[in-house]
């Protein structure tokens, strides 16, 4: 079992910045990809950014050039630096982690953290 603890959400004005963190703890041999998703009210949960175990990244078009995903493997933590925030970035942000334990692959979700951007 793996626990994910997210932090860093909040209320910010348009143009501002926030940094989200997600720390993984529990039983695993390896953490593979780490992702951030977001879900706005009445909408589906969408992938925002992904970082693989070797540090390769990928972003949704809507956040390219504004958001940066990174990870600290020693701390089992993934970050999302969000710059130039806009009202349309308002959503609950969820951390998602893929792990391997023995020969089995698992994936886990964080509890979500609210990001609200005022105009």
């Amino acid at each position: 079992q793996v626990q994910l603890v997210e932090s860093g959400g909040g209320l910010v004005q348009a143009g501002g910045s926030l940094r989200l963190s997600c720390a993984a703890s529990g039983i695993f041999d390896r953490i593979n990809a780490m992702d951030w998703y977001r879900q706005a009210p009445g909408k589906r949960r969408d992938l925002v950014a992904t970082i693989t175990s070797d540090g390769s990244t990928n972003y949704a078009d809507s956040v390219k050039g504004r958001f940066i995903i990174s990870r600290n493997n020693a701390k089992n933590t993934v970050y999302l630096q969000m710059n130039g925030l806009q009202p349309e970035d308002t959503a609950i942000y969820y951390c998602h982690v893929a792990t391997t334990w023995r020969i089995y692959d698992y994936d886990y979700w964080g509890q979500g953290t609210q990001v609200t951007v005022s105009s």
Side-chain angles (χ1 to χ4, degrees), residues 2 11 36 38 44 53-55 86-88 92 101 118:
V2 171
L11 173 64
W36 287 97
R38 67 185 181 187
R44 69 180 185 186
S53 57
D54 65 359
Q86 299 301 316
E88 53 266 34
I92 299 174
W101 181 73
S118 62

Side-chain angles (χ1 to χ4, degrees), residues 70-81:
S70 61
R71 62 192 283 172
N72 183 325
N73 291 328
K75 296 183 177 180
N76 298 320
T77 300
V78 62
Y79 306 95
L80 187 67
Q81 177 66 43

